[in-house]
Amino acid sequence: MLGFTIRRLAQAVPVIFCAISLLFFLFYVLPGDPVTILSGGTGRNVPEVTRQNIEQKYGFDKSIPEQFATYWGNVATGDLGDSLRDDQPVWDKVKQFAPNSIRLAFWALVLEAFFGIGIGMVSAVKRYSVIDTVTTLLSTIAMAIPVFVSGYLIIYVFGITAFQRGWPEWIRFPTGRTPENWAFFFFPADEESFRRLVPPAVALALIQIAVVARMTRTTMLETINTDYVRTARAKGLTERSVVFKHGLRNALIPVVTLIGLDFGTLIGSAVLTETVFSYNGLGSQIVRAAQFRDAPVVLGLTLVVVIAYLVVNLIVDLSYGVLDPRIRYDD
Amino acid sequence: MAEVDPAPRGTDGEPLLTVEDLRVHFHTDAGVVKAVDGVSFDIHPGETVALVGESGSGKSVTGMSLLGLLPKPAAQIPTGQILWRGTDLVPASEAQMRKIRGQEISMIFQDAMTSLNPVMTVGKQIVEMIRLHLDVTRRQARARAVEMLDAVGIPEARKRVEMYPHEFSGGMRQRAMIAMAIACDPQLIIADEPTTALDVTVQAQVLEVLADVQQRTGAAMILITHDLGVVAGVADRVMVMYAGRLVESAATDPVFYDARHPYTLGLMASLPRIDVDDVVIGSDVDLRSGRRLKPIEGQPPSLLHPPPGCSFHPRCDLADIGGACTEEVPALRRVAIGHTAACHFADDLEARAAAVGTADAIDLVHAAPVVEGPTA
Amino acid sequence: MTALNEELVVDVESGSDPSTDHSVAPEASSWRNIWKRFKRNRLALVGLFIIAALVLIAVFAPLLVRLESTIGGIARLDPEIGTSPARLQPSADHWFGTDKTGRDLFARTVYGTRISLLVGFSAVLLATTVGTVFGALAGYFGKWADTLIMRFTDVALALPYIVLAIALVVVFGRSLVTIVLVLASLGWMSTARIFRSSIIQQKNQEYVEAARSIGCSSWRIITRHLVPNAIQPVIVYATLAIGTAILSEAALSFLGVGALEPTPSWGLMINHGRSALRSDPHLLFFPAAFLALTIVAFTAVGDGLRDALDPKLKR
């Protein structure tokens, strides 16, 4: 297993390198003059001196390969550069925004696992019943509704109407600010923070709940029809034992891997949710930086996101071996 | 109503299992599939009965119906009785069936790789079964599991108990399945194609284990198979099924050397045999007079729309098309002591062959000559 | 039991005259069979119906707007130019109300259908064409072509989709054409990977060996046997991808890095609508509803196709 891990890590390095380099070339090589943007935008006459100063400060006067080498040289020592917009070190931005993304992804995951697996199982066990038909229908629909539609729906109902119509306290969820107080990193420390966390977490989780529910249903149905479940019945086990002891364990393996992989994806891809709910996470920051051609921020934050994604992938692959004794790592 | 003859072996009278006119219908989108269409037989304590037939003959379905393992909404048993030690299992509740499964009647399936849970150790699966039916502690159950694995000839049973199914070889896995099936000392073991998925050499070993197990526990066995070679070595009695019905039932020797149903005859004629005189292979044999293997022409019938009358008539060389064979379903009739067959001409196949006059018909009847064959 | 069911199903599904032909090999999915199975999925049928309606709306957009102006009595309704007072509530004159600059929202939404469907279909068409070519190269010829393509897509797919899309649009400009090209250049990779594994799977099937052994040429094998079977997952993916492409364009426009004003893109409308959510929620929810409906329809149809093409999947 150790060999497997090392090999995977070794494989990941060139992927990360190539991915971030790809972005690098997009920003530095292709059309668009960062100097102009930095000095106030097009349409203004920029004095040559100012231009030269900016170029020197940010290293734009050097050739592209040199800039490339400098950049990676810096990264190797842990220096991700400074933002072109506000001069803040990119690493500081990482420390500021990454925790929020991790927390949001975590809670979306919890919801996704709990509701997704639960609904999927009920659906599978009560196959063809009304519950099953309804949930399958709802999950196909929920899967397809974009998060910036469902998000605003949630905001409108629980954040606006709830206040306008004077609904009871417990159902009012104000939105628009990031939760601020946390306990043990993951848990909102006060009511305000809790209420600010719920809407984005739910909106983010909604689509995935549907996906997980559908997958759970499929895998459960598959396992219920396997030969070894038939053997379990032939042994005289109750239907409940058969489903839970024999079917579930096998059925959940692919589902758990899916949920694990989601964690990696959600950290960097919750852009839309973050924008809708004004939640300060990595995703929305990357987008904002991209709009301003703030290359160091885009590259730095994306680097963090990609590394997180690959690490989570690796962990999921390793845990697969724990869950399924048939997996061997020596090939 | 078919006449069912009692088994010829010295048994203590009462049959363990009596199946009476069992029918199993599958309700599909295209219609009703009559997988089992009126099957009746007895099983006595300690005997080994082979249930033989090709794919689609209904033999597996029959086996599964005994334990109530058919898929509930799709499969229905419209009529018929399954009398297990006096109690009819057809109307029995799930709870009643669960008590019987594994403890009084247990089943061994064809492919041990898919029939064992891949994420549970073999030991755990056996222990689960034991603790379900017997009131023993975990330790006692585990000890018994090891004992069972040992009894079926698995070496280092103590270590093997902790291993996963995929860590066993094919033959070992099947032995483990057998061990699991006998863990609670059942009185009837249903083995559904237990050797089909195995190599020939391993097949022999597994059959030996089965025979050994039977001898030790005194259990009866229904051996469901399509492999006549397996049957010859192991079974006391043979029941041949075709298109959901029993077409012949007799002790092993008569089936091989004095078959009375054209289908059985056809099966025998299509087998290479070393136990019958005229198939001796040697350099001094006139190959023209050597017997050729004769396959049964045609395909098994659709169970959605079975042919009228005898379901074998489309493929039968002796069939009386337009007469009895297409009009009337032949009943399972007694043709000798302990030997029944469902053919209108079962009493005198020779005469019928002569009447038909074709070379095929005569060939068929002479394919399994009444010879003093060597014992298996 | 599963093997048993399949035996029975084989007999039952043959479609030939059962009384004479007692056992026929199952027919490989013919189009009629596929359609029959598809029809059974009610949600998918509804989805198909919705897509048809949307296509009609897109095609007849000008007529619909003319209808509105005739009924409402307003002379000129244009999706891109505002001619009425801003922020009107839905009424007989303006069925969906008007937006911040006085543009009729119904006209905008209806024309938005054109944008979304155009972007969706063209991006996916392009992506599928390019993707199948590369997938075939990788899958059938293997070796270095395969390694090259797989490694390249690995790298590109390691980056978050949104980040890459935004980066490309920011760099190459915000016209609809660029957006379509960007979506296509991200989309071909998944298609290529799917087609490649599909081809590899089919290539190793026994019937290919059999065909080769009776003398079929490589070309014949590819066109007559491999492609019809291998293309199925691609078709399913393409249908679902139309929904994704429409979603992506809307997302980019919503974030402010997609379509430019005054293009009537639903995503752009949602973006404008968010600031007025309290007072004029209709500004956001009308285009949002259309967007959601469109994507749900394509997802449902894609799902239905997947189930219809692979009858072994248990419902």
PDB file of all heavy atoms in Angstrom, chain A residues 227-228 230-231 233-238 245-246 250 325-326, chain B residues 98 101-102 109 114-117 125 128 132-133 164 166:
ATOM      1  N   ASP A 227     -26.195 -13.204  -6.440  1.00  0.00           N
ATOM      2  CA  ASP A 227     -26.261 -14.585  -5.990  1.00  0.00           C
ATOM      3  C   ASP A 227     -26.009 -14.710  -4.495  1.00  0.00           C
ATOM      4  O   ASP A 227     -26.621 -15.548  -3.827  1.00  0.00           O
ATOM      5  CB  ASP A 227     -25.221 -15.422  -6.756  1.00  0.00           C
ATOM      6  CG  ASP A 227     -25.628 -15.656  -8.200  1.00  0.00           C
ATOM      7  OD1 ASP A 227     -26.796 -15.369  -8.529  1.00  0.00           O
ATOM      8  OD2 ASP A 227     -24.793 -16.130  -8.974  1.00  0.00           O
ATOM      9  N   TYR A 228     -25.102 -13.881  -3.971  1.00  0.00           N
ATOM     10  CA  TYR A 228     -24.809 -14.094  -2.555  1.00  0.00           C
ATOM     11  C   TYR A 228     -25.957 -13.628  -1.662  1.00  0.00           C
ATOM     12  O   TYR A 228     -26.111 -14.137  -0.558  1.00  0.00           O
ATOM     13  CB  TYR A 228     -23.481 -13.446  -2.148  1.00  0.00           C
ATOM     14  CG  TYR A 228     -23.359 -11.980  -2.390  1.00  0.00           C
ATOM     15  CD1 TYR A 228     -23.866 -11.047  -1.493  1.00  0.00           C
ATOM     16  CD2 TYR A 228     -22.700 -11.516  -3.516  1.00  0.00           C
ATOM     17  CE1 TYR A 228     -23.740  -9.713  -1.724  1.00  0.00           C
ATOM     18  CE2 TYR A 228     -22.576 -10.173  -3.760  1.00  0.00           C
ATOM     19  CZ  TYR A 228     -23.098  -9.266  -2.852  1.00  0.00           C
ATOM     20  OH  TYR A 228     -22.968  -7.936  -3.083  1.00  0.00           O
ATOM     21  N   ARG A 230     -28.988 -14.162  -2.561  1.00  0.00           N
ATOM     22  CA  ARG A 230     -29.850 -15.330  -2.672  1.00  0.00           C
ATOM     23  C   ARG A 230     -29.408 -16.413  -1.695  1.00  0.00           C
ATOM     24  O   ARG A 230     -30.223 -17.047  -1.027  1.00  0.00           O
ATOM     25  CB  ARG A 230     -29.789 -15.843  -4.114  1.00  0.00           C
ATOM     26  CG  ARG A 230     -30.565 -17.099  -4.368  1.00  0.00           C
ATOM     27  CD  ARG A 230     -30.292 -17.620  -5.751  1.00  0.00           C
ATOM     28  NE  ARG A 230     -28.898 -17.971  -5.932  1.00  0.00           N
ATOM     29  CZ  ARG A 230     -28.389 -18.425  -7.066  1.00  0.00           C
ATOM     30  NH1 ARG A 230     -29.162 -18.543  -8.110  1.00  0.00           N
ATOM     31  NH2 ARG A 230     -27.127 -18.715  -7.167  1.00  0.00           N
ATOM     32  N   THR A 231     -28.088 -16.581  -1.589  1.00  0.00           N
ATOM     33  CA  THR A 231     -27.573 -17.560  -0.623  1.00  0.00           C
ATOM     34  C   THR A 231     -27.963 -17.168   0.795  1.00  0.00           C
ATOM     35  O   THR A 231     -28.362 -18.009   1.600  1.00  0.00           O
ATOM     36  CB  THR A 231     -26.038 -17.642  -0.707  1.00  0.00           C
ATOM     37  OG1 THR A 231     -25.661 -17.837  -2.055  1.00  0.00           O
ATOM     38  CG2 THR A 231     -25.503 -18.744   0.168  1.00  0.00           C
ATOM     39  N   ARG A 233     -30.503 -15.550   1.768  1.00  0.00           N
ATOM     40  CA  ARG A 233     -31.906 -15.903   1.995  1.00  0.00           C
ATOM     41  C   ARG A 233     -32.058 -17.389   2.206  1.00  0.00           C
ATOM     42  O   ARG A 233     -32.828 -17.822   3.067  1.00  0.00           O
ATOM     43  CB  ARG A 233     -32.753 -15.485   0.792  1.00  0.00           C
ATOM     44  CG  ARG A 233     -33.018 -14.035   0.725  1.00  0.00           C
ATOM     45  CD  ARG A 233     -34.238 -13.741  -0.125  1.00  0.00           C
ATOM     46  NE  ARG A 233     -34.251 -12.318  -0.410  1.00  0.00           N
ATOM     47  CZ  ARG A 233     -33.909 -11.795  -1.578  1.00  0.00           C
ATOM     48  NH1 ARG A 233     -33.579 -12.574  -2.573  1.00  0.00           N
ATOM     49  NH2 ARG A 233     -33.915 -10.486  -1.742  1.00  0.00           N
ATOM     50  N   ALA A 234     -31.295 -18.158   1.402  1.00  0.00           N
ATOM     51  CA  ALA A 234     -31.415 -19.616   1.504  1.00  0.00           C
ATOM     52  C   ALA A 234     -30.935 -20.112   2.858  1.00  0.00           C
ATOM     53  O   ALA A 234     -31.235 -21.225   3.263  1.00  0.00           O
ATOM     54  CB  ALA A 234     -30.614 -20.292   0.391  1.00  0.00           C
ATOM     55  N   LYS A 235     -30.165 -19.289   3.545  1.00  0.00           N
ATOM     56  CA  LYS A 235     -29.698 -19.703   4.861  1.00  0.00           C
ATOM     57  C   LYS A 235     -30.770 -19.490   5.922  1.00  0.00           C
ATOM     58  O   LYS A 235     -30.652 -19.958   7.041  1.00  0.00           O
ATOM     59  CB  LYS A 235     -28.447 -18.901   5.249  1.00  0.00           C
ATOM     60  CG  LYS A 235     -27.253 -19.228   4.390  1.00  0.00           C
ATOM     61  CD  LYS A 235     -25.946 -18.831   5.032  1.00  0.00           C
ATOM     62  CE  LYS A 235     -25.760 -17.347   5.114  1.00  0.00           C
ATOM     63  NZ  LYS A 235     -24.349 -16.994   5.385  1.00  0.00           N
ATOM     64  N   GLY A 236     -31.790 -18.741   5.570  1.00  0.00           N
ATOM     65  CA  GLY A 236     -32.861 -18.529   6.526  1.00  0.00           C
ATOM     66  C   GLY A 236     -32.813 -17.181   7.220  1.00  0.00           C
ATOM     67  O   GLY A 236     -33.490 -16.957   8.208  1.00  0.00           O
ATOM     68  N   LEU A 237     -32.017 -16.238   6.678  1.00  0.00           N
ATOM     69  CA  LEU A 237     -31.950 -14.918   7.299  1.00  0.00           C
ATOM     70  C   LEU A 237     -33.223 -14.132   7.018  1.00  0.00           C
ATOM     71  O   LEU A 237     -33.841 -14.306   5.979  1.00  0.00           O
ATOM     72  CB  LEU A 237     -30.768 -14.137   6.723  1.00  0.00           C
ATOM     73  CG  LEU A 237     -29.399 -14.588   7.194  1.00  0.00           C
ATOM     74  CD1 LEU A 237     -28.335 -13.906   6.359  1.00  0.00           C
ATOM     75  CD2 LEU A 237     -29.212 -14.234   8.641  1.00  0.00           C
ATOM     76  N   THR A 238     -33.560 -13.250   7.930  1.00  0.00           N
ATOM     77  CA  THR A 238     -34.719 -12.401   7.697  1.00  0.00           C
ATOM     78  C   THR A 238     -34.385 -11.426   6.573  1.00  0.00           C
ATOM     79  O   THR A 238     -33.227 -11.108   6.341  1.00  0.00           O
ATOM     80  CB  THR A 238     -35.071 -11.560   8.935  1.00  0.00           C
ATOM     81  OG1 THR A 238     -33.939 -10.751   9.255  1.00  0.00           O
ATOM     82  CG2 THR A 238     -35.455 -12.430  10.099  1.00  0.00           C
ATOM     83  N   LYS A 245     -27.252  -6.516   6.369  1.00  0.00           N
ATOM     84  CA  LYS A 245     -25.939  -7.093   6.615  1.00  0.00           C
ATOM     85  C   LYS A 245     -25.213  -7.444   5.326  1.00  0.00           C
ATOM     86  O   LYS A 245     -24.028  -7.267   5.199  1.00  0.00           O
ATOM     87  CB  LYS A 245     -26.072  -8.340   7.488  1.00  0.00           C
ATOM     88  CG  LYS A 245     -26.094  -8.006   8.967  1.00  0.00           C
ATOM     89  CD  LYS A 245     -26.175  -9.254   9.811  1.00  0.00           C
ATOM     90  CE  LYS A 245     -24.874 -10.041   9.776  1.00  0.00           C
ATOM     91  NZ  LYS A 245     -24.954 -11.275  10.581  1.00  0.00           N
ATOM     92  N   HIS A 246     -25.923  -7.988   4.389  1.00  0.00           N
ATOM     93  CA  HIS A 246     -25.237  -8.450   3.190  1.00  0.00           C
ATOM     94  C   HIS A 246     -25.296  -7.447   2.056  1.00  0.00           C
ATOM     95  O   HIS A 246     -24.315  -7.173   1.401  1.00  0.00           O
ATOM     96  CB  HIS A 246     -25.831  -9.779   2.723  1.00  0.00           C
ATOM     97  CG  HIS A 246     -25.447 -10.914   3.613  1.00  0.00           C
ATOM     98  ND1 HIS A 246     -24.392 -11.741   3.338  1.00  0.00           N
ATOM     99  CD2 HIS A 246     -25.968 -11.334   4.770  1.00  0.00           C
ATOM    100  CE1 HIS A 246     -24.280 -12.639   4.286  1.00  0.00           C
ATOM    101  NE2 HIS A 246     -25.216 -12.421   5.172  1.00  0.00           N
ATOM    102  N   ASN A 250     -21.979  -4.053   0.653  1.00  0.00           N
ATOM    103  CA  ASN A 250     -21.496  -4.085  -0.720  1.00  0.00           C
ATOM    104  C   ASN A 250     -21.995  -2.905  -1.525  1.00  0.00           C
ATOM    105  O   ASN A 250     -21.263  -2.310  -2.302  1.00  0.00           O
ATOM    106  CB  ASN A 250     -21.963  -5.361  -1.417  1.00  0.00           C
ATOM    107  CG  ASN A 250     -21.166  -6.558  -0.995  1.00  0.00           C
ATOM    108  OD1 ASN A 250     -20.103  -6.813  -1.523  1.00  0.00           O
ATOM    109  ND2 ASN A 250     -21.665  -7.281  -0.029  1.00  0.00           N
ATOM    110  N   PRO A 325     -12.209  -5.987   0.408  1.00  0.00           N
ATOM    111  CA  PRO A 325     -11.023  -6.825   0.588  1.00  0.00           C
ATOM    112  C   PRO A 325     -10.486  -7.430  -0.699  1.00  0.00           C
ATOM    113  O   PRO A 325      -9.410  -8.001  -0.701  1.00  0.00           O
ATOM    114  CB  PRO A 325     -11.511  -7.927   1.537  1.00  0.00           C
ATOM    115  CG  PRO A 325     -12.977  -7.924   1.416  1.00  0.00           C
ATOM    116  CD  PRO A 325     -13.378  -6.544   1.080  1.00  0.00           C
ATOM    117  N   ARG A 326     -11.227  -7.305  -1.777  1.00  0.00           N
ATOM    118  CA  ARG A 326     -10.736  -7.890  -3.015  1.00  0.00           C
ATOM    119  C   ARG A 326      -9.660  -7.049  -3.681  1.00  0.00           C
ATOM    120  O   ARG A 326      -8.967  -7.490  -4.565  1.00  0.00           O
ATOM    121  CB  ARG A 326     -11.891  -8.053  -4.014  1.00  0.00           C
ATOM    122  CG  ARG A 326     -12.848  -9.135  -3.649  1.00  0.00           C
ATOM    123  CD  ARG A 326     -14.043  -9.108  -4.543  1.00  0.00           C
ATOM    124  NE  ARG A 326     -14.911  -7.993  -4.224  1.00  0.00           N
ATOM    125  CZ  ARG A 326     -16.067  -7.773  -4.828  1.00  0.00           C
ATOM    126  NH1 ARG A 326     -16.470  -8.579  -5.772  1.00  0.00           N
ATOM    127  NH2 ARG A 326     -16.813  -6.752  -4.495  1.00  0.00           N
TER     128      ARG A 326
ATOM    129  N   ARG B  98     -38.305 -19.582   6.902  1.00  0.00           N
ATOM    130  CA  ARG B  98     -36.971 -19.219   7.390  1.00  0.00           C
ATOM    131  C   ARG B  98     -36.441 -20.239   8.376  1.00  0.00           C
ATOM    132  O   ARG B  98     -35.245 -20.482   8.450  1.00  0.00           O
ATOM    133  CB  ARG B  98     -37.004 -17.844   8.029  1.00  0.00           C
ATOM    134  CG  ARG B  98     -36.688 -16.761   7.015  1.00  0.00           C
ATOM    135  CD  ARG B  98     -36.667 -15.417   7.631  1.00  0.00           C
ATOM    136  NE  ARG B  98     -38.021 -14.903   7.719  1.00  0.00           N
ATOM    137  CZ  ARG B  98     -38.440 -14.078   8.646  1.00  0.00           C
ATOM    138  NH1 ARG B  98     -37.643 -13.686   9.569  1.00  0.00           N
ATOM    139  NH2 ARG B  98     -39.680 -13.658   8.651  1.00  0.00           N
ATOM    140  N   ARG B 101     -35.223 -23.135   6.131  1.00  0.00           N
ATOM    141  CA  ARG B 101     -34.059 -22.875   5.288  1.00  0.00           C
ATOM    142  C   ARG B 101     -32.777 -22.967   6.071  1.00  0.00           C
ATOM    143  O   ARG B 101     -32.594 -22.310   7.071  1.00  0.00           O
ATOM    144  CB  ARG B 101     -34.142 -21.470   4.694  1.00  0.00           C
ATOM    145  CG  ARG B 101     -35.203 -21.290   3.684  1.00  0.00           C
ATOM    146  CD  ARG B 101     -35.230 -19.868   3.215  1.00  0.00           C
ATOM    147  NE  ARG B 101     -36.461 -19.581   2.503  1.00  0.00           N
ATOM    148  CZ  ARG B 101     -37.074 -18.427   2.513  1.00  0.00           C
ATOM    149  NH1 ARG B 101     -36.556 -17.431   3.231  1.00  0.00           N
ATOM    150  NH2 ARG B 101     -38.182 -18.240   1.841  1.00  0.00           N
ATOM    151  N   GLY B 102     -31.886 -23.762   5.592  1.00  0.00           N
ATOM    152  CA  GLY B 102     -30.584 -23.872   6.241  1.00  0.00           C
ATOM    153  C   GLY B 102     -30.564 -24.905   7.337  1.00  0.00           C
ATOM    154  O   GLY B 102     -29.543 -25.551   7.577  1.00  0.00           O
ATOM    155  N   PHE B 109     -25.336 -23.690  -4.236  1.00  0.00           N
ATOM    156  CA  PHE B 109     -25.527 -23.073  -5.535  1.00  0.00           C
ATOM    157  C   PHE B 109     -24.367 -23.339  -6.475  1.00  0.00           C
ATOM    158  O   PHE B 109     -23.310 -23.781  -6.089  1.00  0.00           O
ATOM    159  CB  PHE B 109     -25.750 -21.573  -5.382  1.00  0.00           C
ATOM    160  CG  PHE B 109     -27.012 -21.245  -4.664  1.00  0.00           C
ATOM    161  CD1 PHE B 109     -26.995 -20.931  -3.321  1.00  0.00           C
ATOM    162  CD2 PHE B 109     -28.222 -21.285  -5.327  1.00  0.00           C
ATOM    163  CE1 PHE B 109     -28.169 -20.642  -2.652  1.00  0.00           C
ATOM    164  CE2 PHE B 109     -29.396 -21.001  -4.665  1.00  0.00           C
ATOM    165  CZ  PHE B 109     -29.368 -20.680  -3.314  1.00  0.00           C
ATOM    166  N   THR B 114     -19.727 -16.170  -6.899  1.00  0.00           N
ATOM    167  CA  THR B 114     -20.744 -15.134  -6.757  1.00  0.00           C
ATOM    168  C   THR B 114     -21.751 -15.436  -5.671  1.00  0.00           C
ATOM    169  O   THR B 114     -22.489 -14.563  -5.249  1.00  0.00           O
ATOM    170  CB  THR B 114     -21.514 -14.936  -8.079  1.00  0.00           C
ATOM    171  OG1 THR B 114     -22.061 -16.189  -8.468  1.00  0.00           O
ATOM    172  CG2 THR B 114     -20.604 -14.421  -9.165  1.00  0.00           C
ATOM    173  N   SER B 115     -21.775 -16.689  -5.213  1.00  0.00           N
ATOM    174  CA  SER B 115     -22.769 -17.041  -4.206  1.00  0.00           C
ATOM    175  C   SER B 115     -22.301 -16.793  -2.784  1.00  0.00           C
ATOM    176  O   SER B 115     -23.046 -16.999  -1.840  1.00  0.00           O
ATOM    177  CB  SER B 115     -23.190 -18.503  -4.355  1.00  0.00           C
ATOM    178  OG  SER B 115     -23.762 -18.706  -5.614  1.00  0.00           O
ATOM    179  N   LEU B 116     -21.057 -16.415  -2.637  1.00  0.00           N
ATOM    180  CA  LEU B 116     -20.580 -16.075  -1.301  1.00  0.00           C
ATOM    181  C   LEU B 116     -20.324 -14.577  -1.257  1.00  0.00           C
ATOM    182  O   LEU B 116     -19.826 -13.997  -2.219  1.00  0.00           O
ATOM    183  CB  LEU B 116     -19.273 -16.827  -0.985  1.00  0.00           C
ATOM    184  CG  LEU B 116     -19.433 -18.329  -0.749  1.00  0.00           C
ATOM    185  CD1 LEU B 116     -18.074 -18.996  -0.663  1.00  0.00           C
ATOM    186  CD2 LEU B 116     -20.207 -18.567   0.550  1.00  0.00           C
ATOM    187  N   ASN B 117     -20.658 -13.965  -0.139  1.00  0.00           N
ATOM    188  CA  ASN B 117     -20.487 -12.533  -0.010  1.00  0.00           C
ATOM    189  C   ASN B 117     -19.007 -12.165  -0.055  1.00  0.00           C
ATOM    190  O   ASN B 117     -18.238 -12.614   0.794  1.00  0.00           O
ATOM    191  CB  ASN B 117     -21.099 -12.078   1.320  1.00  0.00           C
ATOM    192  CG  ASN B 117     -21.235 -10.572   1.391  1.00  0.00           C
ATOM    193  OD1 ASN B 117     -20.453  -9.853   0.778  1.00  0.00           O
ATOM    194  ND2 ASN B 117     -22.228 -10.110   2.126  1.00  0.00           N
ATOM    195  N   GLN B 125     -19.544 -16.034   7.475  1.00  0.00           N
ATOM    196  CA  GLN B 125     -20.771 -16.431   6.800  1.00  0.00           C
ATOM    197  C   GLN B 125     -21.304 -17.750   7.343  1.00  0.00           C
ATOM    198  O   GLN B 125     -22.514 -17.930   7.466  1.00  0.00           O
ATOM    199  CB  GLN B 125     -20.523 -16.523   5.286  1.00  0.00           C
ATOM    200  CG  GLN B 125     -20.120 -15.174   4.707  1.00  0.00           C
ATOM    201  CD  GLN B 125     -20.010 -15.184   3.209  1.00  0.00           C
ATOM    202  OE1 GLN B 125     -20.903 -15.645   2.511  1.00  0.00           O
ATOM    203  NE2 GLN B 125     -18.912 -14.657   2.702  1.00  0.00           N
ATOM    204  N   GLU B 128     -22.649 -17.134  10.917  1.00  0.00           N
ATOM    205  CA  GLU B 128     -23.951 -16.457  10.857  1.00  0.00           C
ATOM    206  C   GLU B 128     -25.071 -17.475  10.732  1.00  0.00           C
ATOM    207  O   GLU B 128     -26.097 -17.390  11.407  1.00  0.00           O
ATOM    208  CB  GLU B 128     -23.933 -15.533   9.643  1.00  0.00           C
ATOM    209  CG  GLU B 128     -25.243 -14.833   9.385  1.00  0.00           C
ATOM    210  CD  GLU B 128     -25.188 -14.055   8.089  1.00  0.00           C
ATOM    211  OE1 GLU B 128     -24.699 -14.599   7.083  1.00  0.00           O
ATOM    212  OE2 GLU B 128     -25.631 -12.899   8.083  1.00  0.00           O
ATOM    213  N   LEU B 132     -27.872 -18.572  13.658  1.00  0.00           N
ATOM    214  CA  LEU B 132     -29.264 -18.295  13.307  1.00  0.00           C
ATOM    215  C   LEU B 132     -30.173 -19.423  13.764  1.00  0.00           C
ATOM    216  O   LEU B 132     -31.282 -19.200  14.239  1.00  0.00           O
ATOM    217  CB  LEU B 132     -29.349 -18.139  11.789  1.00  0.00           C
ATOM    218  CG  LEU B 132     -30.601 -17.533  11.211  1.00  0.00           C
ATOM    219  CD1 LEU B 132     -30.773 -16.128  11.719  1.00  0.00           C
ATOM    220  CD2 LEU B 132     -30.477 -17.499   9.700  1.00  0.00           C
ATOM    221  N   HIS B 133     -29.694 -20.633  13.582  1.00  0.00           N
ATOM    222  CA  HIS B 133     -30.575 -21.770  13.833  1.00  0.00           C
ATOM    223  C   HIS B 133     -30.292 -22.529  15.118  1.00  0.00           C
ATOM    224  O   HIS B 133     -31.162 -23.163  15.684  1.00  0.00           O
ATOM    225  CB  HIS B 133     -30.484 -22.753  12.658  1.00  0.00           C
ATOM    226  CG  HIS B 133     -30.949 -22.180  11.365  1.00  0.00           C
ATOM    227  ND1 HIS B 133     -32.266 -21.912  11.109  1.00  0.00           N
ATOM    228  CD2 HIS B 133     -30.268 -21.817  10.250  1.00  0.00           C
ATOM    229  CE1 HIS B 133     -32.381 -21.420   9.890  1.00  0.00           C
ATOM    230  NE2 HIS B 133     -31.195 -21.348   9.352  1.00  0.00           N
ATOM    231  N   TYR B 164     -11.139 -14.566   2.951  1.00  0.00           N
ATOM    232  CA  TYR B 164     -12.252 -14.142   2.114  1.00  0.00           C
ATOM    233  C   TYR B 164     -12.449 -15.099   0.946  1.00  0.00           C
ATOM    234  O   TYR B 164     -11.521 -15.754   0.518  1.00  0.00           O
ATOM    235  CB  TYR B 164     -11.995 -12.735   1.589  1.00  0.00           C
ATOM    236  CG  TYR B 164     -12.075 -11.693   2.654  1.00  0.00           C
ATOM    237  CD1 TYR B 164     -10.930 -11.273   3.329  1.00  0.00           C
ATOM    238  CD2 TYR B 164     -13.300 -11.152   3.032  1.00  0.00           C
ATOM    239  CE1 TYR B 164     -11.007 -10.334   4.323  1.00  0.00           C
ATOM    240  CE2 TYR B 164     -13.378 -10.210   4.027  1.00  0.00           C
ATOM    241  CZ  TYR B 164     -12.236  -9.801   4.679  1.00  0.00           C
ATOM    242  OH  TYR B 164     -12.310  -8.870   5.670  1.00  0.00           O
ATOM    243  N   HIS B 166     -12.542 -14.807  -2.172  1.00  0.00           N
ATOM    244  CA  HIS B 166     -11.697 -14.704  -3.361  1.00  0.00           C
ATOM    245  C   HIS B 166     -10.307 -15.252  -3.111  1.00  0.00           C
ATOM    246  O   HIS B 166      -9.520 -15.430  -4.034  1.00  0.00           O
ATOM    247  CB  HIS B 166     -11.613 -13.251  -3.841  1.00  0.00           C
ATOM    248  CG  HIS B 166     -10.889 -12.344  -2.902  1.00  0.00           C
ATOM    249  ND1 HIS B 166     -11.512 -11.694  -1.866  1.00  0.00           N
ATOM    250  CD2 HIS B 166      -9.587 -11.989  -2.840  1.00  0.00           C
ATOM    251  CE1 HIS B 166     -10.633 -10.976  -1.219  1.00  0.00           C
ATOM    252  NE2 HIS B 166      -9.453 -11.132  -1.773  1.00  0.00           N
TER     253      HIS B 166
END
